[in-house]
Amino acid sequence: MLDSFVDPEDERRIHRLYALYCHFFAHGEPEEWVSIFTPDGVFAKLSASQGGLGTSAQTVEGHAALLEMTKGRREMFQGQVRHQQTDIVILPGADADSAVGHSLILVTDWRSGQGRLAALGSCKSEFKRIAAGWRFQRIELTALPKPNAQAGTAERTAQA
């Protein structure tokens, strides 16, 4: 992993996708957000947020379903929820037209006035270069605590 790199220009373009992902989502621009995915792109939230965002685990595939989900989130979040992706690492994929990204996610919620930390987690992304340029092929979000970590904590507490 330390010595695996993608072309610097490709990495710059993929980093921009991460930024656009957050900006389009935060500002309630669902059509623009969907445009950064391949037509068969997948959004997979693997665990429910523990911070009261009101979102559950789900997998959504394709532009039409992504658009519907994002419009629902726009209504739910009222332009008052912010997503940040940090510590982004881009690695080569299976070929020159694919790449894999890893990042950490942080979500803040300002709907009740003063902001609060609503979710932390990690993100794994798969990117594909299509005629229009680099796009998300798949993005998987896992919020903390991970579902199996909660079971392990309960078991450790019961054993103590």
Side-chain angles (χ1 to χ4, degrees), residues 98-118:
S98 62
V100 176
H102 297 275
S103 64
L104 301 178
I105 55 173
L106 176 129
V107 180
T108 55
D109 185 350
W110 301 83
R111 290 177 287 181
S112 298
Q114 184 168 341
R116 64 180 182 80
L117 180 61

PDB file of all heavy atoms in Angstrom, residues 98-118:
ATOM      1  N   SER A  98      -9.549   2.166 -13.229  1.00  0.00           N
ATOM      2  CA  SER A  98     -10.210   1.947 -11.947  1.00  0.00           C
ATOM      3  C   SER A  98      -9.247   2.303 -10.815  1.00  0.00           C
ATOM      4  O   SER A  98      -8.030   2.269 -10.980  1.00  0.00           O
ATOM      5  CB  SER A  98     -10.710   0.510 -11.813  1.00  0.00           C
ATOM      6  OG  SER A  98      -9.639  -0.404 -11.859  1.00  0.00           O
ATOM      7  N   ALA A  99      -9.828   2.680  -9.691  1.00  0.00           N
ATOM      8  CA  ALA A  99      -9.054   3.031  -8.498  1.00  0.00           C
ATOM      9  C   ALA A  99      -9.909   2.727  -7.272  1.00  0.00           C
ATOM     10  O   ALA A  99     -11.133   2.572  -7.371  1.00  0.00           O
ATOM     11  CB  ALA A  99      -8.662   4.507  -8.525  1.00  0.00           C
ATOM     12  N   VAL A 100      -9.253   2.643  -6.134  1.00  0.00           N
ATOM     13  CA  VAL A 100      -9.920   2.377  -4.864  1.00  0.00           C
ATOM     14  C   VAL A 100      -9.526   3.480  -3.898  1.00  0.00           C
ATOM     15  O   VAL A 100      -8.360   3.884  -3.838  1.00  0.00           O
ATOM     16  CB  VAL A 100      -9.505   0.999  -4.296  1.00  0.00           C
ATOM     17  CG1 VAL A 100     -10.127   0.758  -2.931  1.00  0.00           C
ATOM     18  CG2 VAL A 100      -9.880  -0.112  -5.270  1.00  0.00           C
ATOM     19  N   GLY A 101     -10.492   3.976  -3.152  1.00  0.00           N
ATOM     20  CA  GLY A 101     -10.222   5.013  -2.168  1.00  0.00           C
ATOM     21  C   GLY A 101     -10.636   4.579  -0.782  1.00  0.00           C
ATOM     22  O   GLY A 101     -11.603   3.825  -0.613  1.00  0.00           O
ATOM     23  N   HIS A 102      -9.878   5.039   0.197  1.00  0.00           N
ATOM     24  CA  HIS A 102     -10.202   4.818   1.604  1.00  0.00           C
ATOM     25  C   HIS A 102     -10.182   6.178   2.286  1.00  0.00           C
ATOM     26  O   HIS A 102      -9.281   6.988   2.042  1.00  0.00           O
ATOM     27  CB  HIS A 102      -9.180   3.892   2.272  1.00  0.00           C
ATOM     28  CG  HIS A 102      -9.145   2.523   1.678  1.00  0.00           C
ATOM     29  ND1 HIS A 102     -10.010   1.526   2.065  1.00  0.00           N
ATOM     30  CD2 HIS A 102      -8.377   1.987   0.699  1.00  0.00           C
ATOM     31  CE1 HIS A 102      -9.764   0.442   1.363  1.00  0.00           C
ATOM     32  NE2 HIS A 102      -8.776   0.696   0.525  1.00  0.00           N
ATOM     33  N   SER A 103     -11.166   6.429   3.142  1.00  0.00           N
ATOM     34  CA  SER A 103     -11.205   7.700   3.860  1.00  0.00           C
ATOM     35  C   SER A 103     -11.933   7.510   5.185  1.00  0.00           C
ATOM     36  O   SER A 103     -12.572   6.481   5.415  1.00  0.00           O
ATOM     37  CB  SER A 103     -11.912   8.778   3.021  1.00  0.00           C
ATOM     38  OG  SER A 103     -13.268   8.436   2.814  1.00  0.00           O
ATOM     39  N   LEU A 104     -11.829   8.508   6.014  1.00  0.00           N
ATOM     40  CA  LEU A 104     -12.595   8.564   7.255  1.00  0.00           C
ATOM     41  C   LEU A 104     -13.713   9.576   7.046  1.00  0.00           C
ATOM     42  O   LEU A 104     -13.552  10.542   6.297  1.00  0.00           O
ATOM     43  CB  LEU A 104     -11.707   8.974   8.422  1.00  0.00           C
ATOM     44  CG  LEU A 104     -10.522   8.037   8.679  1.00  0.00           C
ATOM     45  CD1 LEU A 104      -9.667   8.567   9.825  1.00  0.00           C
ATOM     46  CD2 LEU A 104     -10.991   6.626   8.971  1.00  0.00           C
ATOM     47  N   ILE A 105     -14.857   9.360   7.699  1.00  0.00           N
ATOM     48  CA  ILE A 105     -15.985  10.269   7.547  1.00  0.00           C
ATOM     49  C   ILE A 105     -16.371  10.861   8.893  1.00  0.00           C
ATOM     50  O   ILE A 105     -16.232  10.225   9.939  1.00  0.00           O
ATOM     51  CB  ILE A 105     -17.197   9.566   6.898  1.00  0.00           C
ATOM     52  CG1 ILE A 105     -17.600   8.318   7.690  1.00  0.00           C
ATOM     53  CG2 ILE A 105     -16.929   9.235   5.454  1.00  0.00           C
ATOM     54  CD1 ILE A 105     -18.875   7.649   7.218  1.00  0.00           C
ATOM     55  N   LEU A 106     -16.835  12.083   8.823  1.00  0.00           N
ATOM     56  CA  LEU A 106     -17.302  12.808  10.002  1.00  0.00           C
ATOM     57  C   LEU A 106     -18.552  13.561   9.568  1.00  0.00           C
ATOM     58  O   LEU A 106     -18.542  14.230   8.534  1.00  0.00           O
ATOM     59  CB  LEU A 106     -16.221  13.784  10.462  1.00  0.00           C
ATOM     60  CG  LEU A 106     -16.594  14.678  11.617  1.00  0.00           C
ATOM     61  CD1 LEU A 106     -15.516  14.588  12.681  1.00  0.00           C
ATOM     62  CD2 LEU A 106     -16.745  16.099  11.147  1.00  0.00           C
ATOM     63  N   VAL A 107     -19.629  13.427  10.337  1.00  0.00           N
ATOM     64  CA  VAL A 107     -20.886  14.100  10.006  1.00  0.00           C
ATOM     65  C   VAL A 107     -21.306  14.936  11.202  1.00  0.00           C
ATOM     66  O   VAL A 107     -21.337  14.450  12.337  1.00  0.00           O
ATOM     67  CB  VAL A 107     -21.992  13.073   9.661  1.00  0.00           C
ATOM     68  CG1 VAL A 107     -23.292  13.781   9.314  1.00  0.00           C
ATOM     69  CG2 VAL A 107     -21.542  12.162   8.529  1.00  0.00           C
ATOM     70  N   THR A 108     -21.613  16.213  10.926  1.00  0.00           N
ATOM     71  CA  THR A 108     -22.138  17.087  11.981  1.00  0.00           C
ATOM     72  C   THR A 108     -23.574  17.458  11.637  1.00  0.00           C
ATOM     73  O   THR A 108     -23.955  17.564  10.474  1.00  0.00           O
ATOM     74  CB  THR A 108     -21.287  18.366  12.135  1.00  0.00           C
ATOM     75  OG1 THR A 108     -21.192  19.037  10.879  1.00  0.00           O
ATOM     76  CG2 THR A 108     -19.896  18.024  12.651  1.00  0.00           C
ATOM     77  N   ASP A 109     -24.377  17.663  12.676  1.00  0.00           N
ATOM     78  CA  ASP A 109     -25.801  17.944  12.521  1.00  0.00           C
ATOM     79  C   ASP A 109     -26.112  19.266  13.221  1.00  0.00           C
ATOM     80  O   ASP A 109     -25.882  19.416  14.421  1.00  0.00           O
ATOM     81  CB  ASP A 109     -26.601  16.802  13.153  1.00  0.00           C
ATOM     82  CG  ASP A 109     -28.096  16.924  12.955  1.00  0.00           C
ATOM     83  OD1 ASP A 109     -28.566  17.981  12.491  1.00  0.00           O
ATOM     84  OD2 ASP A 109     -28.795  15.938  13.268  1.00  0.00           O
ATOM     85  N   TRP A 110     -26.640  20.220  12.458  1.00  0.00           N
ATOM     86  CA  TRP A 110     -26.937  21.569  12.958  1.00  0.00           C
ATOM     87  C   TRP A 110     -28.435  21.842  12.970  1.00  0.00           C
ATOM     88  O   TRP A 110     -28.861  22.992  13.157  1.00  0.00           O
ATOM     89  CB  TRP A 110     -26.220  22.596  12.077  1.00  0.00           C
ATOM     90  CG  TRP A 110     -24.741  22.386  12.075  1.00  0.00           C
ATOM     91  CD1 TRP A 110     -24.025  21.498  11.303  1.00  0.00           C
ATOM     92  CD2 TRP A 110     -23.786  23.027  12.899  1.00  0.00           C
ATOM     93  NE1 TRP A 110     -22.688  21.563  11.603  1.00  0.00           N
ATOM     94  CE2 TRP A 110     -22.511  22.511  12.588  1.00  0.00           C
ATOM     95  CE3 TRP A 110     -23.872  24.009  13.885  1.00  0.00           C
ATOM     96  CZ2 TRP A 110     -21.355  22.917  13.210  1.00  0.00           C
ATOM     97  CZ3 TRP A 110     -22.711  24.437  14.506  1.00  0.00           C
ATOM     98  CH2 TRP A 110     -21.470  23.888  14.175  1.00  0.00           C
ATOM     99  N   ARG A 111     -29.263  20.819  12.813  1.00  0.00           N
ATOM    100  CA  ARG A 111     -30.713  21.030  12.727  1.00  0.00           C
ATOM    101  C   ARG A 111     -31.326  21.555  14.004  1.00  0.00           C
ATOM    102  O   ARG A 111     -32.364  22.204  13.972  1.00  0.00           O
ATOM    103  CB  ARG A 111     -31.416  19.727  12.322  1.00  0.00           C
ATOM    104  CG  ARG A 111     -31.134  19.321  10.887  1.00  0.00           C
ATOM    105  CD  ARG A 111     -31.770  18.011  10.542  1.00  0.00           C
ATOM    106  NE  ARG A 111     -31.054  16.915  11.199  1.00  0.00           N
ATOM    107  CZ  ARG A 111     -31.358  15.641  11.074  1.00  0.00           C
ATOM    108  NH1 ARG A 111     -32.380  15.280  10.324  1.00  0.00           N
ATOM    109  NH2 ARG A 111     -30.652  14.720  11.679  1.00  0.00           N
ATOM    110  N   SER A 112     -30.713  21.309  15.145  1.00  0.00           N
ATOM    111  CA  SER A 112     -31.276  21.756  16.424  1.00  0.00           C
ATOM    112  C   SER A 112     -30.593  23.006  16.952  1.00  0.00           C
ATOM    113  O   SER A 112     -30.681  23.298  18.146  1.00  0.00           O
ATOM    114  CB  SER A 112     -31.153  20.636  17.467  1.00  0.00           C
ATOM    115  OG  SER A 112     -31.879  19.510  17.050  1.00  0.00           O
ATOM    116  N   GLY A 113     -29.909  23.736  16.114  1.00  0.00           N
ATOM    117  CA  GLY A 113     -29.191  24.931  16.567  1.00  0.00           C
ATOM    118  C   GLY A 113     -27.711  24.666  16.595  1.00  0.00           C
ATOM    119  O   GLY A 113     -27.094  24.471  15.554  1.00  0.00           O
ATOM    120  N   GLN A 114     -27.143  24.624  17.802  1.00  0.00           N
ATOM    121  CA  GLN A 114     -25.713  24.376  17.917  1.00  0.00           C
ATOM    122  C   GLN A 114     -25.372  23.006  17.358  1.00  0.00           C
ATOM    123  O   GLN A 114     -26.043  22.016  17.631  1.00  0.00           O
ATOM    124  CB  GLN A 114     -25.266  24.463  19.368  1.00  0.00           C
ATOM    125  CG  GLN A 114     -23.778  24.317  19.514  1.00  0.00           C
ATOM    126  CD  GLN A 114     -23.306  24.682  20.914  1.00  0.00           C
ATOM    127  OE1 GLN A 114     -24.010  25.348  21.651  1.00  0.00           O
ATOM    128  NE2 GLN A 114     -22.129  24.247  21.267  1.00  0.00           N
ATOM    129  N   GLY A 115     -24.321  22.949  16.564  1.00  0.00           N
ATOM    130  CA  GLY A 115     -23.936  21.699  15.928  1.00  0.00           C
ATOM    131  C   GLY A 115     -23.473  20.640  16.910  1.00  0.00           C
ATOM    132  O   GLY A 115     -23.017  20.939  18.009  1.00  0.00           O
ATOM    133  N   ARG A 116     -23.630  19.399  16.472  1.00  0.00           N
ATOM    134  CA  ARG A 116     -23.154  18.272  17.269  1.00  0.00           C
ATOM    135  C   ARG A 116     -22.591  17.220  16.329  1.00  0.00           C
ATOM    136  O   ARG A 116     -22.994  17.117  15.170  1.00  0.00           O
ATOM    137  CB  ARG A 116     -24.267  17.689  18.118  1.00  0.00           C
ATOM    138  CG  ARG A 116     -25.384  17.085  17.308  1.00  0.00           C
ATOM    139  CD  ARG A 116     -26.492  16.511  18.200  1.00  0.00           C
ATOM    140  NE  ARG A 116     -27.523  15.906  17.398  1.00  0.00           N
ATOM    141  CZ  ARG A 116     -27.463  14.705  16.849  1.00  0.00           C
ATOM    142  NH1 ARG A 116     -26.423  13.941  17.049  1.00  0.00           N
ATOM    143  NH2 ARG A 116     -28.448  14.229  16.112  1.00  0.00           N
ATOM    144  N   LEU A 117     -21.664  16.462  16.842  1.00  0.00           N
ATOM    145  CA  LEU A 117     -21.111  15.351  16.091  1.00  0.00           C
ATOM    146  C   LEU A 117     -22.187  14.283  15.975  1.00  0.00           C
ATOM    147  O   LEU A 117     -22.725  13.822  16.979  1.00  0.00           O
ATOM    148  CB  LEU A 117     -19.877  14.797  16.807  1.00  0.00           C
ATOM    149  CG  LEU A 117     -19.170  13.639  16.151  1.00  0.00           C
ATOM    150  CD1 LEU A 117     -18.659  14.029  14.765  1.00  0.00           C
ATOM    151  CD2 LEU A 117     -18.020  13.163  17.015  1.00  0.00           C
ATOM    152  N   ALA A 118     -22.537  13.910  14.748  1.00  0.00           N
ATOM    153  CA  ALA A 118     -23.630  12.969  14.535  1.00  0.00           C
ATOM    154  C   ALA A 118     -23.147  11.585  14.127  1.00  0.00           C
ATOM    155  O   ALA A 118     -23.836  10.599  14.377  1.00  0.00           O
ATOM    156  CB  ALA A 118     -24.589  13.512  13.486  1.00  0.00           C
TER     157      ALA A 118
END
